Structure formats: C-alpha cells, structure tokens
Amino acid sequence: MTGVTGHSAQARQAASDPYPRPRPRPPGVSGGPQGHTGPRRGAAHRAQVRPPSVRDKRAYVRLGPRGVLAVIGLGAAVVIALWWHSTPDVRGLGGWLTGAGEILGLLAGYGVVVLVALMARLPPLERGIGTDRLARWHAMGGRYVVSVVVAHGLLILWGYAVQAHTTVVSETAALLTQYPDVLMATVAGFLLLGVGIVSMRAARRRMSYETWYYLHLYTYLAIALAFSHQFAVGVSFINNLAARFWWSAMYLTVAVLVAWYRVAVPLRAFARHEFTVIGVKAEGPGVISVYIGGRHLDELAAEPGQFFRWRFLTRSLWWSSHPYSLSAAPGSDVMRITVKDLGDHSRSLARLRPGTRVIAEGPYGAFTAADSGRGVLLLAGGVGITPLRAIFATLPGPVTLIYRASSERDIVFRDELDAIAAARGGTVYYVVGSRAEIGGNPLSPRLLRRLVPGLDQHEAYVCGPPGMVAAAVGALRAAGVPRKRIHNESFEF
Ligand SMILES: Cc1cc2nc3c(=O)[nH]c(=O)nc-3n(C[C@H](O)[C@H](O)[C@H](O)COP(=O)(O)OP(=O)(O)OC[C@H]3O[C@@H](n4cnc5c(N)ncnc54)[C@H](O)[C@@H]3O)c2cc1C
C-alpha cells in the first residue's frame, strides 16, 4: 500500500501532539501519531519500556574531528622537525632525493601508528568521532601511507644510486644484502602494498568481508618487520637515543592500547556480564530480533543509537564479529538487536539457540542524541530504523520519525513505533513504496518540509544504507538544515 492513510491517527494527533498540524499527505506517506497497541510481554517488553529519558552524555573530554586531525598534523610536523634536526645539510641531487626519501620514511613510520591508533577502539575517539568516520579516515589514510611507503623506497634507492654514482639496480642489490634489516623492511613494504591493493574497492567487492579482514591483519606483521630498519639505517635515529626512545614509546603505547581495548576489555566484559542469547523473535520478512541477556548491563553505559560488535560463540560464528545497533534502549539485564539478513552472518542469527554465549565489544559509536532543546527529526531507511527506534523511545521533546521502506511488508516495529508515538506525543510517518509508486523523490526537500514544519530549526538524525543516507543528507541540506545539525550513520564501514 502506498497511498495516504491514517486519518483516524490524525485525529489522535490533535489530542496527543502538543503541536497539532493536520496536513494533507503526499502519496506513499502514511502514519502520523498512531494508535497504542499495548506493550509486549517478556524480554521484548522490558527492552522497550524504559522511561523516556536520555542519559547525560558521558564526561569524556571530547576532542572533535578537527581537534583530532590537528593533533595528527602536529605529530607529522614534529616528525619533519626530527629529520631537520638530524640533517645538517643537503647537497646535490642525490642529497635531495635521499632527504625526501628519509622524510617520507619517517612519515610512513608515524602514519602506520596513527592508522592503527584510529582502529584501536579508543573510547574517546569512538565516542567523540564515531566509528564510521574513523573507518573512513583509516581507509583514506591507508591509501596515503601505502603511497608514501612506495615513494620512500623509490626515492631512497634513486638518491643512494646518484650519491654512489651507480645504477638503481646495483644499489637495490647492495641495500638488500648489505644494509641491516632493509630486506625485512622491503618484505614489509610489499605486504603493505598487497593489503592496500586488496582494500581497493574493486578488489574488496570480490571477496567476503572476513577474507578481506584477515588479509588486512598482515598489516601488523608488516609494521613489526619494518620497525627495526628505522633505527638501523634511519639518520634521525642512529645517533639520537632520545629519538629512539620516543619513537619506541609511541609504537609500544599504541600496541598496548590495541591489546587492551580490542582484546582485554571485551574478554573482561564477557566474564563480568556473561552475555547470553535469551531468545530470537521474527520481526518481518528476513528480519529478526535477538535478545541478549547479561548481568550488570547498566555498567556498560550503552546509549540508544550505539552499537556493539557481536561475536556469537557457536561453531560457525565464533570467528567473526559483526556490528549491530541496539534496537531498544538497554535494560539492566537485557539488550536487543534487530538484524536484516543481508548475508551469511546476518542470516545465520535466526538459528541462534537460547543459552549461546556472546562476546559483545562496545558500546561504540557517536550516533547518539542529546536534548538540544530543538525539535528532532529522525530519518530511517530500511533496517536503519534500529538505532532510531531506540532513540525515538528515549529522547525527550517533540520528535518526528520518518521511516522510509520499500513496501509495507518491510516495515518493522510498526506496533512499537506507533505505541511510542502515542505514549510520547511523537509523530511517525511511513514513506512507503518505490519512486515510481510514490511519483518522485521519496525524501524530497519539499516533502520533508511539508511533514516537518520548521524543519530548518531541527536536529536531524539519519540512518540507513549508504545511498539513502547520502540522499537524505542532501535533501535536508536543501531544505535548509545546517550540516552541523545533521547527524548520520551509515551501516557500512
Ligand atoms: C555501525 C553499524 C551498525 C549496524 N547495525 C545494524 C543493525 O542494527 N541491523 C542490521 O541488520 N545491520 C546492521 N549493520 C549492518 C551489518 O553489520 C551487516 O549487514 C552485516 O555485518 C552483514 O554481514 P553478513 O555476513 O550477513 O553479510 P556479508 O554479505 O558478508 O556483508 C555485507 C556487507 O556488510 C558489511 N560487513 C560484513 N561483515 C562486517 C563486519 N564484520 N563488520 C563491518 N561490516 C561488515 C560489508 O560492507 C559487506 O559488504 C550495521 C553496520 C554498521 C557498520
């Protein structure tokens, strides 16, 4: 059904919405404040009926994206200063080529540490920057670092050859056989190049996420192999004990952080909270909810909108962890995720048995909502409804949810959303149908402005598949919402 429905709901809206605004509905839009269907019993009920309050944001010292980029840039400047300090003069073409190669080598050595730190699951970064943005920075930075590594090798070879009045080929042989640790570093360089190639979009699309992920782990081996050549042949380190100390401290610190946040913390949480599947419920075609019980879950301080990386300890699933958002605010002993079957992992969750143990890594993500005193628009596409469902139930103030789905069958949580809207005076619109059925852009700026009066004064939260998120952000910008008030999460790293 793609036509206008929900007239009786509109009548209820007048009674329950503090800002009643009866308006004609465009094709494909139904909803508005809905009837209360009553809460469900059991775990589902407990997960969905937390009081409508929002936790205060945790007192992290928040370094925004610009602050973090500034710190990274400052580190790069210090690295160049280190080279400057250790290089009294540069002479001739060979000297310039070698100098450029040395600077790039230092930047590459620093860059790999930054790349690993971005993925170390550091809470202030995860919370302040957001996992999806960190992953984008990591991917982009990875391309730069691999290019810098290749350029470093070529410039050093060329520079040494010019200085030694020999050919690049014989200089290559000399470097590999006579210079300490350079052979290992060369292997490391090729490993990094290989990881860079398999991470390119075209190559990545041809392999499963897990294959790519495990190949990607060779980066750690590459970093270890390349480490010692920096001290053995790097002019900035050979005679500078303090530089060697600080460089080693930088590598060691990041290694400890990775081990702590990616391994120790999840294992400690597993022991403390005893995460266990307590039930699976079908929500719609190809969509299920998994209820995960545990002890002291409030200590996790998970917020609506955040996600965990879930590792279900069955014979076929234990070796991979996947990100799924909380689809209801967590209770003290139960959490809920809702999953659409898009591949092997998501499909197999329907077969989970109660009692399955789970390692839950998180909470992660900066896609959380604070009470800004403004009206709030939540814009969900498909299974992107999951974090917004949790936010919708807890965010105080007037909240409008627009839920875009391809067909009525694809709408999940309809009863819950209507119940939340009725209980809280919120508004839900279902924008259902294909572009052809709706007769135009399903999320046009005009439609958004029509559904949400005063839209340009709202905070907007968008979640869904990457294409939908990009289109919705564009439409919101065109409708006058400033970029800084549009918060979005895409279900893809
Ligand atoms: C922050 C975040 C929150 C998410 N929340 C939800 C949710 O609440 N409900 C839901 O249904 N889906 C959610 N997803 C998407 C979900 O993680 C993927 O659909 C799922 O991992 C697909 O795995 P698969 O093996 O079933 O499919 P595959 O066919 O193997 O993968 C499909 C695509 O999913 C991505 N993907 C696969 N495995 C992983 C992984 N381990 N880590 C990261 N990305 C991966 C890749 O882009 C891949 O191309 C979320 C994704 C992210 C990034």
Side-chain angles (χ1 to χ4, degrees), residues 204 209-210 307 309 321-325 338-340 342-347 383 386-387 489-493:
R204 222 183 124 171
Y209 183 90
E210 278 75 22
F307 70 95
R309 292 169 196 270
S321 74
H322 285 240
Y324 297 110
S325 307
T338 302
V339 177
K340 185 171 173 64
L342 292 174
D344 292 347
H345 187 271
S346 43
R347 193 165 306 128
V383 76
T386 51
E489 181 165 80
S490 158
F491 275 0
E492 193 177 82
F493 288 146

Side-chain angles (χ1 to χ4, degrees), residues 157-175:
L157 278 175
W158 189 9
Y160 278 22
V162 170
Q163 283 176 326
H165 305 290
T166 179
T167 63
V168 169
V169 175
S170 60
E171 192 56 38
T172 306
L175 263 169

Side-chain angles (χ1 to χ4, degrees), residues 92-311:
L93 176 65
W96 282 105
L97 290 170
T98 307
E102 286 163 357
I103 292 176
L104 292 186
L106 284 170
L107 287 175
Y110 168 71
V112 289
V113 174
V114 171
L115 290 181
V116 174
L118 291 177
M119 292 290 102
R121 320 261 208 261
L122 304 178
L125 290 186
E126 294 286 336
R127 194 67 187 76
I129 308 291
T131 315
D132 52 349
R133 194 193 306 236
L134 288 171
R136 280 200 303 277
W137 286 1
H138 176 85
M140 192 182 64
R143 287 193 278 276
Y144 288 132
V145 167
V146 171
S147 311
V148 165
V149 166
V150 172
H152 157 71
L154 295 177
L155 284 170
I156 290 284
L157 278 175
W158 189 9
Y160 278 22
V162 170
Q163 283 176 326
H165 305 290
T166 179
T167 63
V168 169
V169 175
S170 60
E171 192 56 38
T172 306
L175 263 169
L176 290 178
T177 53
Q178 292 162 26
Y179 284 68
D181 302 335
V182 170
L183 181 60
M184 275 199 313
T186 308
V187 173
F190 279 108
L191 271 179
L192 279 181
L193 186 61
V195 170
I197 290 170
V198 298
S199 300
M200 284 162 68
R201 213 170 283 250
R204 222 183 124 171
R205 248 183 271 141
R206 288 193 169 77
M207 63 183 79
S208 79
Y209 183 90
E210 278 75 22
T211 308
W212 168 80
Y213 178 82
Y214 285 109
L215 283 174
H216 204 80
L217 294 185
Y218 279 104
T219 312
Y220 290 119
L221 177 62
I223 294 172
L225 287 175
F227 184 78
S228 59
H229 95 288
Q230 302 179 81
F231 291 174
V233 291
V235 284
S236 302
F237 298 112
I238 288 177
N239 297 315
N240 189 338
L241 182 65
R244 288 206 296 274
F245 174 80
W246 285 112
W247 203 254
S248 307
M250 179 174 77
Y251 273 69
L252 191 64
T253 305
V254 170
V256 169
L257 289 174
V258 168
W260 180 251
Y261 284 111
R262 293 189 67 145
V263 182
V265 168
L267 289 179
R268 196 182 57 168
F270 175 65
R272 167 87 181 141
H273 300 294
E274 297 178 3
F275 304 111
T276 310
V277 172
I278 55 178
V280 175
K281 175 173 170 265
E283 299 283 3
V287 181
I288 49 124
S289 284
V290 183
Y291 293 86
I292 297 123
R295 299 161 58 226
H296 318 296
L297 297 186
D298 34 4
E299 288 174 11
L300 293 165
E303 291 183 44
Q306 289 193 295
F307 70 95
F308 285 75
R309 292 169 196 270
W310 305 91
R311 189 183 295 275

Side-chain angles (χ1 to χ4, degrees), residues 49-133:
V49 295
R50 268 169 62 93
S53 67
V54 170
R55 277 174 219 265
D56 288 332
K57 296 260 175 198
R58 294 174 79 186
Y60 284 124
V61 179
R62 288 229 196 169
L63 207 55
R66 285 201 187 138
V68 173
L69 290 176
V71 170
I72 294 172
L74 193 67
V78 171
V79 165
I80 294 171
L82 173 67
W83 175 84
W84 187 266
H85 172 76
S86 57
T87 311
D89 63 347
V90 180
R91 289 207 192 133
L93 176 65
W96 282 105
L97 290 170
T98 307
E102 286 163 357
I103 292 176
L104 292 186
L106 284 170
L107 287 175
Y110 168 71
V112 289
V113 174
V114 171
L115 290 181
V116 174
L118 291 177
M119 292 290 102
R121 320 261 208 261
L122 304 178
L125 290 186
E126 294 286 336
R127 194 67 187 76
I129 308 291
T131 315
D132 52 349
R133 194 193 306 236

Side-chain angles (χ1 to χ4, degrees), residues 326-327 338 379-391 401-403 410 412-413 417 463-464 491:
L326 297 174
S327 62
T338 302
L379 199 42
V383 76
I385 187 64
T386 51
L388 294 179
R389 149 69 183 82
I391 291 174
L401 169 66
I402 299 179
Y403 183 177
D410 290 321
V412 292
F413 301 140
L417 295 171
C463 188
F491 275 0

